[in-house]
């Protein structure tokens, strides 16, 4: 029985890896289309489409317009090859099954305030994924193409215990909604990539309920990016999300530390956190070897509000407030369940979930001044 269970586990693991590899191949095809249209590269567009594929577009009079893929690619075949066209593309979702797939992407054009949603039908042909048809629709949008990177955790249990934990859903949605309304794009990264555990979900809360049933949003949480796939220069700020999970895998992850400090030091970006997410910044060091928190005012969830006799608290690998103060930071907080946000240069931190929106607003305010 033991060997049978191990074999079944092996099959499940390999099926999962295979499915993930197929998604990666589909992403490559979609990125050929996105990058080709963003940088006048007709050959990339041709590579993305099946030779006899069609695009089903809409004319100004709302009538259907069938465009062969080769003709569409020729629109980007000019002397400006490699030049940015003003189109910013993001893959929103992929659903694949046995050699066929559907996908959704958004194309933002800030110069004319437009956002297109592209829907794709793909098929695996001779072991290569190709777009066999595409259609699109558009809307007016304030999205500016600037990106914020949310840092989340893969940890499902406190330390070595069986006490469940997760990323604070309320902290995610409150900040996410604030950034989206201000025109920013939000990506998610976790130490391992893929799906993350969620905690503190309240479907009586209108915003939480809305996003919980938003397919594109939940797809992003199910398919968070791996650190190796993050290009630091593409982001204006990082935002560490709280919840008990934030105490474990994120703070010690060297790749995420490097991403955050590169955005902060090389690109004058913002590092932010909220609640237990502040655990993610305690180990960050500047190029000269100093701790980021040294000499800065920082907020987060204080030890005074923890249940110090509880089993979960015994699992914490370190204490946020104590560690920050030991490293020269000034830790400030307010009474329980009250909003508290600290701005110390390009370091912006909040005490708890009710501070999530306030932290996001301070980031937006600072970025809009740059």
């Amino acid at each position: 029985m033991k060997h049978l269970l191990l074999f079944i586990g092996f099959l499940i693991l390999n099926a999962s890896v295979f499915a993930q590899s197929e998604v990666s191949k589909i992403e490559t095809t979609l990125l050929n289309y996105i990058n080709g249209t963003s940088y006048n590269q007709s050959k990339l567009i041709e590579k993305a489409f099946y030779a006899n594929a069609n695009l089903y577009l809409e004319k100004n009079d709302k009538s259907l317009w069938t465009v062969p893929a080769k003709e569409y690619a020729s629109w980007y075949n000019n002397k400006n090859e490699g030049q940015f066209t003003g189109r910013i593309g993001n893959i929103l979702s992929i659903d694949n099954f046995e050699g066929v797939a559907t996908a959704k992407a958004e194309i933002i054009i800030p110069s004319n305030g437009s956002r297109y949603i592209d829907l794709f039908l793909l098929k695996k042909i001779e072991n290569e994924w190709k777009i066999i048809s595409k259609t699109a629709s558009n809307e007016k949008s304030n999205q500016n193409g600037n990106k914020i990177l949310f840092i989340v955790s893969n940890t499902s249990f406190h330390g070595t215990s069986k006490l469940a934990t997760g990323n604070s859903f309320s902290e995610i949605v409150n900040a996410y909604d604030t950034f989206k309304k201000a025109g920013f794009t939000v990506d998610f990264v976790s130490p391992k990539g893929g799906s993350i555990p969620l905690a503190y979900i309240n479907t009586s809360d209108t915003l939480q309920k809305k996003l919980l049933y938003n397919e594109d949003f939940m797809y992003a949480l199910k398919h968070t990016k791996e650190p190796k796939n993050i290009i630091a220069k593409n982001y204006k700020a990082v935002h560490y999300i709280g919840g008990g999970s934030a105490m474990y895998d994120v703070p010690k992850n060297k790749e995420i530390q490097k991403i955050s400090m590169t955005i902060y030091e090389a690109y004058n970006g913002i590092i932010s956190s909220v609640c237990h997410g502040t655990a993610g910044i305690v180990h960050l060091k500047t190029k000269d070897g100093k701790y980021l928190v040294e000499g800065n005012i920082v907020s987060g969830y204080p030890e005074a509000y923890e249940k110090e006799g509880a089993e979960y608290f015994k699992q914490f690998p370190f204490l946020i407030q104590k560690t920050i103060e030991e490293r020269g930071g000034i830790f400030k907080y307010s009474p329980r369940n009250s909003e508290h946000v600290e701005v110390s240069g390009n370091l912006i931190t909040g005490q708890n979930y009710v501070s999530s929106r306030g932290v996001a607003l301070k980031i937006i305010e600072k970025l809009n001044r740059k």
Side-chain angles (χ1 to χ4, degrees):
M1 178 61 73
K2 180 180 179 182
H3 293 296
L4 177 60
L5 291 174
L6 287 172
F7 179 67
I8 292 172
F10 174 79
L11 290 178
I12 292 171
L13 176 62
N14 278 274
S16 175
V17 170
F18 176 77
Q20 185 59 43
S21 67
E22 290 302 304
V23 169
S24 297
K25 291 175 183 177
I26 295 168
E27 286 178 346
T28 298
T29 297
L30 295 172
L31 289 173
N32 283 338
Y33 161 76
I34 289 172
N35 292 330
T37 57
S38 293
Y39 294 97
N40 274 316
Q41 295 179 310
S42 60
K43 292 191 182 302
L44 273 183
I45 301 171
E46 289 181 11
K47 187 176 181 181
F49 283 92
Y50 176 61
N52 295 322
N54 287 321
L55 290 82
Y56 298 95
L57 308 177
E58 192 175 73
K59 292 184 177 180
N60 291 333
D61 62 1
K62 302 298 181 182
S63 61
L64 187 64
W65 182 20
T66 304
V67 180
K70 288 185 178 179
E71 179 183 337
Y72 179 78
S74 72
W75 297 353
Y76 297 88
N77 186 10
N78 55 47
K79 297 178 182 178
N80 297 319
E81 183 176 354
Q83 184 174 322
F84 183 53
T85 63
R87 295 165 57 97
I88 302 169
N90 298 294
I91 298 170
L92 296 179
S93 65
I94 295 171
D95 188 13
N96 69 304
F97 175 76
E98 297 295 336
V100 293
T102 57
K104 183 192 292 187
E106 67 173 4
I107 307 296
I108 303 165
I109 308 178
S111 61
N112 62 14
S114 296
R115 176 179 182 258
Y116 286 80
I117 292 295
D118 287 355
L119 296 178
F120 305 89
L121 179 62
L122 301 97
K123 186 168 180 59
K124 196 173 185 181
I125 302 170
E126 296 180 353
N127 207 36
E128 192 171 358
W129 285 95
K130 296 289 184 181
I131 300 169
I132 60 175
S133 70
K134 192 210 88 161
T135 190
S137 188
N138 71 306
E139 64 180 0
K140 283 293 181 184
S141 172
N142 69 336
Q143 287 191 248
N144 52 39
N146 290 329
K147 289 187 173 187
I148 309 295
L149 184 64
F150 278 30
I151 298 173
V152 289
S153 166
N154 299 111
T155 300
S156 299
F157 300 96
H158 283 282
T160 57
S161 76
K162 292 299 180 182
L163 295 172
T165 189
N167 298 271
S168 172
F169 192 64
S170 60
E171 290 174 27
I172 293 173
V173 300
N174 287 334
Y176 177 89
D177 182 67
T178 305
F179 283 120
K180 292 293 284 186
K181 285 179 177 177
F184 290 84
T185 298
V186 174
D187 285 341
F188 296 89
V189 66
S190 62
K192 295 179 182 177
S195 61
I196 59 170
L198 298 171
Y200 312 116
I201 298 175
N202 176 13
T203 53
S204 295
D205 179 273
T206 303
L207 178 59
Q208 289 192 44
K209 184 178 180 180
K210 174 185 173 182
L211 286 175
L212 183 65
Y213 295 111
N214 181 300
E215 292 181 2
D216 295 341
F217 174 72
M218 293 307 294
Y219 182 92
L221 294 182
K222 185 179 178 181
H223 300 85
T224 64
K225 298 177 184 295
E226 294 181 55
K228 67 180 182 182
N229 294 326
I230 297 297
I231 301 172
K233 69 178 180 180
N234 290 346
Y235 299 93
K236 301 295 183 181
V238 298
H239 183 55
Y240 287 83
I241 294 296
S245 292
M247 293 297 302
Y248 302 99
D249 56 348
V250 169
K252 62 186 179 183
N253 188 277
K254 298 296 184 182
E255 293 175 289
I256 289 178
Q257 290 176 14
K258 183 177 180 181
I259 291 167
S260 295
M261 293 311 298
T262 300
I263 292 170
Y264 183 81
E265 294 185 310
Y267 301 106
N268 193 31
I270 293 170
I271 290 177
S272 66
S273 67
V274 67
C275 201
H276 288 89
T278 298
I281 72 172
V282 300
H283 300 319
L284 297 180
K285 288 185 176 182
T286 60
K287 286 182 292 188
D288 57 9
K290 293 183 179 180
Y291 284 107
L292 174 67
V293 298
E294 183 178 335
N296 284 312
I297 300 174
V298 180
S299 190
Y301 203 72
E303 280 85 272
Y305 298 159
E306 299 282 6
K307 298 177 182 178
E308 295 196 17
E311 183 60 33
Y312 83 87
F313 187 71
K314 297 175 185 177
Q315 295 290 329
F316 282 178
F318 60 91
L319 303 179
I320 297 173
Q321 180 181 349
K322 180 183 178 183
T323 306
I324 286 172
E325 290 175 342
E326 286 176 348
R327 293 176 175 176
I330 303 164
F331 194 91
K332 291 187 177 182
Y333 61 96
S334 295
R336 287 179 185 270
N337 301 319
S338 58
E339 182 178 349
H340 186 112
V341 177
E342 292 291 346
V343 179
S344 194
N346 278 0
L347 179 61
I348 302 176
T349 52
Q351 176 178 321
N352 47 25
Y353 76 97
V354 296
S355 307
S356 296
R357 184 172 180 272
V359 170
L361 287 172
K362 287 296 183 183
I363 295 169
I364 293 165
E365 179 185 326
K366 185 172 279 286
L367 290 176
N368 286 341
R369 288 203 306 261
K370 291 187 177 183

